[in-house]
Amino acid sequence: MSDSLYERIGGEAAVNAAVELFYRKVLNDYRINRFFDKTDMDSQLAKQKAFFTYAFGGPNHYTGKDMRSAHARLVKMGMDGSHFDVVMEHLGATLHELNVPGELIAEAAGIALGARSDVLGL
Amino acid sequence: MFDLLIKNNRFTCRPGETVLDALLRENVNIPYGCRAGICQSCVVQSLDVTPPAEAQGNLKDTLKSSGHFLACQCVPEQAMRLKLPAQEAGYTDCAVIGSELMNRNTRLLIIRVNDAHRYKAGQFVNLQRSDGLTRSYSIANIPQSSGALEFHIRCLPGGRFSAWVHDELKVGDSLRVSEPQGHCFYLPDRKEQGLLLIGTGTGLAPLAGILADALAHGHSGPIRLFHGSREKEDLYWTEEMRELAKRYPNLSYTPCVSSGDAPEGFAPGRANEVALAAHPDLSRWRVFLCGHPDMVKNTQKQAYLKGARLADIYCDAFVVSTEAAD
Ligand SMILES: Cc1cc2nc3c(=O)[nH]c(=O)nc-3n(C[C@H](O)[C@H](O)[C@H](O)COP(=O)(O)OP(=O)(O)OC[C@H]3O[C@@H](n4cnc5c(N)ncnc54)[C@H](O)[C@@H]3O)c2cc1C
Ligand code: FES
């Protein structure tokens, strides 16, 4: 088998670069920033890092059940499909900005989309 | 409930309790300072099981792989056999060579060290009293040039360590000093980059060190220092900093007072707010934030939103342990 998406996209360094751009976009977006905790930046960054590692198909330990419980609080706060789509939009824009080739972006977006129903508790 | 075994002694850790809390409850003598995973003075070693990852936080890899972890961050997941560090491990005895008040509640403490080149301005060390009481303080000077470490220590009412430093510790006494810790210091690359330094209270200590270091390295970009406190009387070194700013055209200094009317020469408001308002775009700046933990966290996020790269934001939160003094 060829290298994983995670390796082709650039591994941990790519995750870090993506988190840097992505989290700023998200915090500046009034449509969704209320879902991103207001105080502890370090733990938020760790979460964003886990998100990108997941979307890049990298080493992670998530199950669908983890995804559900991790996002249950946000669903209670009113998070729905429209918010999920906004996050997908920022994911795509971030990877574009980092000059990630289109087909790799599509692959990452596909993985993230796969978690949609777990994240939204559907 | 899990057992903690130390040599032939058995202690129990209650559900949800940290190793540090359990050992303190059992009257085991173990050094600690911040209880927040920052100062690393509570390092212990697991001799059998691998400690939980979050308890190993940002320890050096060599320590991690040998089973060391932070007792204050470890809620055990199973029984553990532990080794406590020898009381003096990692500490050196050093002599106090200077101690003087800089304002009504802040003292300049100077300690001679032998291997000064290992310590960088802006890092912090743990100071330990002979009975084991340990607290973190930031290095306010360039140790290499004087062979000494300088600290700015604010006296908290009832503070066990700080009040003792103010009232009892004398020139000639000795104090144990740890290895240098932390990553909040100046790196002499990108000398044309702007440096934004924001500190509250004794947060000026690491900033003064970083500032001196940057100037000594010939930093050519703008350097902007904002130092804030509630009242003017709690600031210090205002004249010294004004003089320094006159000597170095790329340095500016803004003392800030957050309560009441600011006297002439002082900016009204909190240092972080004054500083951020003056810098709408931080995308090329290196930012240093030192002092009150809430100020540091909050400003870290604002600086990032104003474009500063994560790797260019250096934070030093002066976490004060929250337990009641006994
Ligand atoms: C990385 C790091 C660097 C630090 N650098 C410095 C430094 O350069 N200079 C410095 O002075 N300190 C610094 N500190 C804080 C220092 O380590 C001690 O926590 C501080 O001196 C208090 O210790 P203490 O033993 O005197 O107080 P403790 O006996 O630990 O008592 C603290 C008590 O005071 C209460 N308290 C907290 N804040 C206040 C307040 N503003 N007024 C009144 N009561 C309060 C708390 O609730 C607590 O009960 C730093 C801390 C960290 C983690
Ligand atoms: S890191 Fe544990 S007491 Fe400071």
Side-chain angles (χ1 to χ4, degrees):
Chain A
M1 222 193 91
S2 64
D3 286 348
S4 69
L5 173 64
Y6 182 75
E7 281 152 24
R8 279 178 286 142
I9 236 170
E12 193 180 345
V15 167
N16 289 338
V19 167
E20 170 104 39
L21 295 178
F22 173 82
Y23 187 48
R24 196 181 283 119
K25 288 185 201 300
V26 159
L27 285 182
N28 276 320
D29 190 327
Y30 68 94
R31 293 173 294 176
I32 51 171
N33 55 11
R34 70 192 172 94
F35 297 113
F36 291 80
D37 192 81
K38 292 280 178 285
T39 49
D40 197 341
M41 187 158 160
D42 291 331
S43 69
Q44 272 297 324
L45 285 168
K47 286 182 197 162
Q48 307 320 320
K49 212 172 149 168
F51 168 60
F52 275 94
T53 306
Y54 175 85
F56 293 174
N60 66 69
H61 317 283
Y62 288 108
T63 62
K65 200 164 143 245
D66 293 336
M67 285 281 181
R68 280 174 190 268
S69 58
H71 293 91
R73 192 178 60 86
L74 304 178
V75 173
K76 257 204 196 113
M77 281 169 70
M79 183 179 69
D80 61 25
S82 70
H83 304 115
F84 189 91
D85 295 342
V86 175
V87 167
M88 292 298 296
E89 183 188 313
H90 289 310
L91 171 74
T94 299
L95 298 182
H96 260 298
E97 223 173 301
L98 291 171
N99 296 319
V100 174
E103 65 275 13
L104 298 191
I105 298 182
E107 244 181 277
I111 297 176
L113 262 182
R116 191 172 193 276
S117 57
D118 282 326
V119 165
L120 295 176
L122 302 176
Chain B
M1 302 259 257
F2 296 113
D3 282 346
L4 302 175
L5 298 161
I6 303 176
K7 291 193 188 139
N8 294 322
N9 299 313
R10 182 182 299 270
F11 306 100
T12 40
C13 198
R14 292 175 184 160
E17 199 175 36
T18 64
V19 169
L20 179 66
D21 287 337
L23 295 181
L24 291 177
R25 181 173 48 69
E26 301 268 18
N27 293 316
V28 176
N29 189 7
I30 166 175
Y32 66 95
C34 67
R35 296 176 160 230
I38 297 170
C39 71
Q40 308 203 348
S41 62
C42 64
V43 172
V44 297
Q45 186 179 15
S46 163
L47 297 177
D48 46 10
V49 302
T50 308
E54 58 282 8
Q56 294 192 300
N58 39 24
L59 289 179
K60 289 195 200 100
D61 288 342
T62 45
L63 287 177
K64 281 187 191 174
S65 60
S66 52
H68 289 82
F69 66 94
L70 300 176
C72 73
Q73 298 300 303
C74 181
V75 177
E77 292 159 350
Q78 53 197 312
M80 301 176 102
R81 180 173 289 281
L82 302 179
K83 183 163 182 258
L84 302 185
Q87 187 69 259
E88 327 65 48
Y91 285 86
T92 12
D93 272 312
C94 299
V96 174
I97 55 173
S99 174
E100 62 187 70
L101 275 179
M102 298 189 287
N103 68 15
R104 61 185 179 185
N105 56 32
T106 309
R107 186 169 280 278
L108 173 66
L109 181 73
I110 310 178
I111 293 176
R112 187 183 306 116
V113 285
N114 285 330
D115 39 6
H117 61 277
R118 293 195 303 135
Y119 298 85
K120 291 198 179 67
Q123 285 189 295
F124 68 91
V125 296
N126 296 319
L127 299 181
Q128 193 174 71
R129 199 164 73 178
S130 56
D131 64 356
L133 187 70
T134 307
R135 293 289 183 271
S136 309
Y137 296 96
S138 305
I139 302 170
N141 65 322
I142 305 175
Q144 196 161 8
S145 53
S146 63
L149 304 179
E150 296 185 10
F151 306 99
H152 302 170
I153 300 185
R154 183 186 167 119
C155 185
L156 290 186
R160 279 161 293 177
F161 200 94
S162 62
W164 170 77
V165 167
H166 274 253
D167 301 339
E168 293 178 45
L169 186 66
K170 299 270 176 311
V171 170
D173 290 352
S174 92
L175 203 55
R176 287 203 282 260
V177 179
S178 77
E179 312 263 299
Q181 312 263 5
H183 306 284
C184 192
F185 52 82
Y186 178 75
L187 288 172
D189 58 348
R190 296 177 294 161
K191 289 191 179 156
E192 67 302 329
Q193 198 180 21
L195 303 184
L196 178 60
L197 314 177
I198 306 175
T200 50
T202 47
L204 182 63
L207 296 182
I210 289 161
L211 175 63
D213 210 13
L215 293 173
H217 277 99
H219 193 87
S220 57
I223 307 177
R224 309 253 167 86
L225 170 65
F226 294 81
H227 183 210
S229 207
R230 207 162 298 157
E231 294 170 20
K232 171 175 160 259
E233 287 73 20
D234 294 322
L235 292 173
Y236 55 91
W237 277 9
T238 43
E239 286 319 308
E240 287 83 345
M241 288 297 158
R242 286 191 213 277
E243 284 304 313
L244 201 61
K246 269 191 211 143
R247 262 203 289 149
Y248 292 89
N250 60 331
L251 171 66
S252 75
Y253 164 63
T254 312
C256 308
V257 171
S258 62
S259 97
D261 292 331
E264 196 175 324
F266 295 79
R270 293 168 191 261
N272 52 326
E273 289 164 7
V274 175
L276 289 173
H279 296 86
D281 179 4
L282 290 174
S283 51
R284 287 175 207 283
W285 288 71
R286 206 184 309 179
V287 183
F288 292 88
L289 308 169
C290 303
H292 196 284
D294 293 340
M295 182 286 284
V296 168
K297 286 212 149 156
N298 185 331
T299 312
Q300 177 194 26
K301 190 178 248 177
Q302 297 305 323
Y304 168 70
L305 285 175
K306 283 172 176 279
R309 291 171 55 231
L310 291 169
D312 279 335
I313 306 176
Y314 296 81
C315 294
D316 216 350
F318 287 6
V319 174
V320 174
S321 123
T322 48
E323 88 212 274
D326 49 23

